[in-house]
Amino acid sequence: MTAAAPKRQRILSGMRPTGRLHLGNYLGALQNWVAMQKTCESFHMVADWHVLTTDYEHTAEIEPNTLEMVTDWIAAGIDPERSPCFVQSRVKEHAELHLLFSMLVTVSRLERNPTVKEQVRDLDLEGTVTYGHLGYPVLQAADILLYKGTWVPVGEDQVPHVEMTREIARRFNTLYGEVFPVPEPKLTHFPRVPGLDGKRMSKSMGNTILLADSREEIEAKVRTAYTDPKKIRKDDPGNPDGCVVFAYHRAFHPEGAEAVATDCRAGRLGCVADKRALAEIVAKALEPIRERRRELEAHPERVREALRYGEEKARAVAQDTMKQVREAMKIG
Ligand code: TRP
């Protein structure tokens, strides 16, 4: 008798469609997604409804941003046949479950969500937070639980949302019967890659290196990267701590980074030469992604087709879960 193939665990992960992805997105999440496909049945969701929580005025950008982002997913190694990629708004079950879950969460609980508090502060939203924005984690709980993932791969900033997902799952199960697993957050540890200026890498800060950047663009950008301001001449001893070029060395070739640090400290390595070497390493590491991206750009229908396929896969799971939800709740 042949042993049955081990069943891959089903999980769901998501990203808001921000267009072309940068190194922070890649090292922080995407690289991990690519690795996970081996052992998990991963569903990758474009969280387009989540964009509306803050950006409801700019809907025209959502669809082109979606295509750019999913192109990067596939170029980086996501196999859309093995790991279905889909757009949240195409699978309406997310909206239905969100509505039902919204009855199980108090407003005061949502107001305590640290992510919303931060956004209110950073985006100056005092007094203008919408009902939908407050419900951000409720929609995220619906995303996660529709696929009955037992764990959720997230960065630290998303842990409060998974915590709320757990509370909602327990509350639902207590009220209506065991339908949902209570998922665990699984922290994805990644080197926190700074932007070129040393601050958090973010599109709005204009300090990114994009996966789609050409070799020349990478070289030009790395040339502007922040380094130790006290190292002026090439043989001045430098301090790699806080140097952006060094942080990228560590992210892209940890095995060679120590030698770079030693040479920098000893005044044997100047910043110009160091930047040239780093640009070469980054450009080379991203070359296969750029190559696949070029192919996909010539055939955008492949990306659309992947999303259609993923949508069907996702819908089948989501419909099955919703059937159980409606039966448990005796409604709908
Ligand atoms: N909130 C996540 C982010 O901003 C995106 C997201 C939406 C998500 N739904 C999800 C992530 C479900 C994991 C699981 O990055």
Side-chain angles (χ1 to χ4, degrees):
M1 213 170 75
T2 53
K7 206 169 158 352
R8 289 190 298 158
Q9 271 204 350
R10 198 194 299 136
I11 58 168
L12 176 113
S13 44
M15 271 189 210
R16 277 172 292 177
T18 49
R20 296 185 169 196
L21 297 181
H22 55 65
L23 284 187
N25 305 127
Y26 178 62
L27 299 167
L30 190 50
Q31 214 177 28
N32 188 48
W33 288 12
V34 173
M36 277 178 339
Q37 332 179 77
K38 294 203 186 85
T39 47
C40 302
E41 184 189 8
S42 321
F43 283 75
H44 298 302
M45 186 191 76
V46 178
D48 61 344
W49 277 335
H50 275 111
V51 172
L52 302 179
T53 60
T54 50
D55 246 353
Y56 52 86
E57 286 175 289
H58 306 114
T59 53
E61 289 155 31
I62 295 177
E63 135 106 5
N65 279 347
T66 295
L67 290 178
E68 290 281 12
M69 182 170 82
V70 177
T71 301
D72 275 335
W73 287 0
I74 300 174
I78 296 290
D79 171 357
E81 269 182 49
R82 198 172 162 80
S83 311
C85 301
F86 72 100
V87 177
Q88 182 185 39
S89 65
R90 300 290 309 168
V91 181
K92 309 300 179 194
E93 284 74 10
H94 289 249
E96 184 179 353
L97 192 57
H98 167 251
L99 178 124
L100 297 173
F101 281 172
S102 72
M103 311 300 166
L104 308 183
V105 191
T106 64
V107 173
S108 66
R109 176 69 182 90
L110 292 171
E111 282 171 341
R112 268 188 280 128
N113 173 18
T115 323
V116 172
K117 280 194 192 159
E118 238 167 68
Q119 282 174 335
V120 168
R121 203 185 50 223
D122 295 350
L123 305 174
D124 209 7
L125 294 177
E126 194 64 61
T128 62
V129 174
T130 66
Y131 165 57
H133 190 179
L134 205 55
Y136 188 112
V138 185
L139 181 56
Q140 187 160 344
D143 299 338
I144 294 166
L145 294 175
L146 266 180
Y147 300 85
K148 296 193 176 182
T150 45
W151 52 278
V152 195
V154 283
E156 215 156 11
D157 62 314
Q158 295 294 314
V159 170
H161 293 166
V162 181
E163 188 46 52
M164 238 180 283
T165 302
R166 291 166 58 81
E167 290 169 24
I168 290 171
R170 280 198 216 100
R171 182 104 181 99
F172 185 99
N173 290 347
T174 307
L175 286 168
Y176 308 115
E178 290 286 325
V179 171
F180 297 110
V182 179
E184 304 270 350
K186 183 152 167 170
L187 277 186
T188 49
H189 290 288
F190 50 86
R192 196 166 275 290
V193 273
L196 293 160
D197 54 2
K199 304 201 181 98
R200 192 174 64 87
M201 190 179 278
S202 150
K203 273 208 159 152
S204 58
M205 313 266 279
N207 62 1
T208 62
I209 294 180
L210 301 178
L211 293 184
D213 279 344
S214 68
R215 181 172 285 266
E216 294 72 32
E217 282 166 317
I218 294 171
E219 274 166 19
K221 284 182 173 181
V222 169
R223 241 179 274 134
T224 70
Y226 177 85
T227 53
D228 177 3
K230 294 209 195 79
K231 183 170 162 74
I232 295 161
R233 277 184 298 268
K234 67 175 192 288
D235 45 6
D236 287 345
N239 179 9
D241 303 328
C243 166
V244 169
V245 176
F246 182 64
Y248 294 176
H249 272 300
R250 262 217 299 247
F252 278 90
H253 69 136
E255 63 294 343
E258 271 325 298
V260 170
T262 310
D263 286 349
C264 169
R265 284 205 179 91
R268 279 195 300 266
L269 177 64
C271 294
V272 174
D274 189 18
K275 285 177 171 178
R276 210 178 296 129
L278 176 81
E280 181 59 33
I281 290 165
V282 175
K284 204 156 166 206
L286 299 183
E287 179 61 41
I289 299 180
R290 215 158 44 237
E291 187 62 37
R292 273 196 296 266
R293 196 176 211 290
R294 264 196 298 271
E295 280 167 35
L296 286 166
E297 278 169 2
H299 296 281
E301 73 283 359
R302 287 190 199 154
V303 177
R304 289 182 197 278
E305 181 49 40
L307 284 172
R308 261 195 303 274
Y309 170 83
E311 177 183 324
E312 271 171 40
K313 287 278 189 191
R315 184 173 296 121
V317 177
Q319 281 181 342
D320 188 43
T321 304
M322 279 317 296
K323 199 159 157 272
Q324 295 168 39
V325 167
R326 293 183 204 116
E327 272 169 21
M329 290 184 72
K330 304 184 179 21
I331 189 166

